[in-house]
Amino acid sequence: GVSVGGLPDGIVDTDMIATKAVTAPKRGAGAILQYVHDTKTDVTSFTSTTAAVIPSLSASITLTSSSNKVIVICNIMNGRTGGNQVATYRLFRDSTDLYTGAGDARAGHFVSYAGSSVETMETVSYIHEDSPNDTSAHTYTVKVRGDNTSEIRINEYHGGSYTYQSSITLLEVAV
């Protein structure tokens, strides 16, 4: 039996913890099972009204259970050279557009707007819960499009005077 004062020495030791003795069922719902992160440090410019993948900004994950969820966190540094422009961002799992809202191609998960100022810089962020419902590998990417041909710069402001970084993070959450 168990003596007063706790378990005897050696019952739970570092070897048991190192061999992952705390299994997913013991952790319970809401536990973070995986963390995947990617940072984009290079500069990319877009001048099109057609959606394009932001290069060097993607992350891949394979769920340990098909019932688990993926929390996707995007932080994008968005600069523009012209005003009166909307930049629309959509999240993709592989080739699947995860946007389910109403509207045309200008609608998206998150947007930023440059008013009448000539140059703007802002952080656009988005958190999305996804249910792939399988244990296959999936890659998450972000596409951006402008509503006119003013330049959209990812990670750059003021003609290269200042550069930033964007990121995408994936968390597998136990259900």
Side-chain angles (χ1 to χ4, degrees):
V2 177
S3 61
V4 175
L7 296 172
D9 259 356
I11 294 297
V12 177
D13 58 19
T14 54
D15 289 337
M16 287 182 70
I17 293 170
T19 60
K20 299 181 182 179
V22 182
T23 61
K26 292 177 185 173
R27 285 188 294 265
I32 304 297
L33 305 179
Q34 287 188 69
Y35 167 87
V36 180
H37 180 80
D38 185 47
T39 301
K40 173 182 175 60
T41 57
D42 60 328
V43 174
T44 303
S45 297
F46 299 91
T47 56
S48 175
T49 58
T50 302
V53 172
I54 299 173
S56 307
L57 185 65
S58 67
S60 298
I61 195 167
T62 303
L63 296 182
T64 58
S65 170
S66 61
S67 63
N68 290 345
K69 306 286 186 189
V70 178
I71 303 298
V72 183
I73 305 167
C74 300
N75 291 297
I76 299 173
M77 296 303 295
N78 175 39
R80 304 238 252 314
T81 58
N84 296 317
Q85 183 192 54
V86 175
T88 302
Y89 298 86
R90 283 195 182 184
L91 181 63
F92 283 74
R93 177 190 348 105
D94 305 318
S95 61
T96 302
D97 186 347
L98 298 177
Y99 182 71
T100 58
D104 61 17
R106 293 174 293 182
H109 287 103
F110 48 115
V111 299
S112 63
Y113 173 70
S116 60
S117 64
V118 176
E119 289 194 48
T120 61
M121 185 71 193
E122 59 191 340
T123 302
V124 285
S125 299
Y126 180 68
I127 299 173
H128 180 84
E129 179 185 297
D130 188 36
S131 302
N133 298 316
D134 62 33
T135 56
S136 300
H138 293 290
T139 299
Y140 290 82
T141 57
V142 177
K143 287 187 179 182
V144 62
R145 71 173 298 281
D147 69 342
N148 63 45
T149 56
S150 293
E151 185 177 32
I152 300 169
R153 295 179 183 154
I154 305 299
N155 290 347
E156 184 180 67
Y157 174 67
H158 196 61
S161 298
Y162 306 97
T163 57
Y164 302 91
Q165 64 184 25
S166 298
S167 65
I168 187 168
T169 302
L170 308 177
L171 304 172
E172 179 182 2
V173 179
V175 175

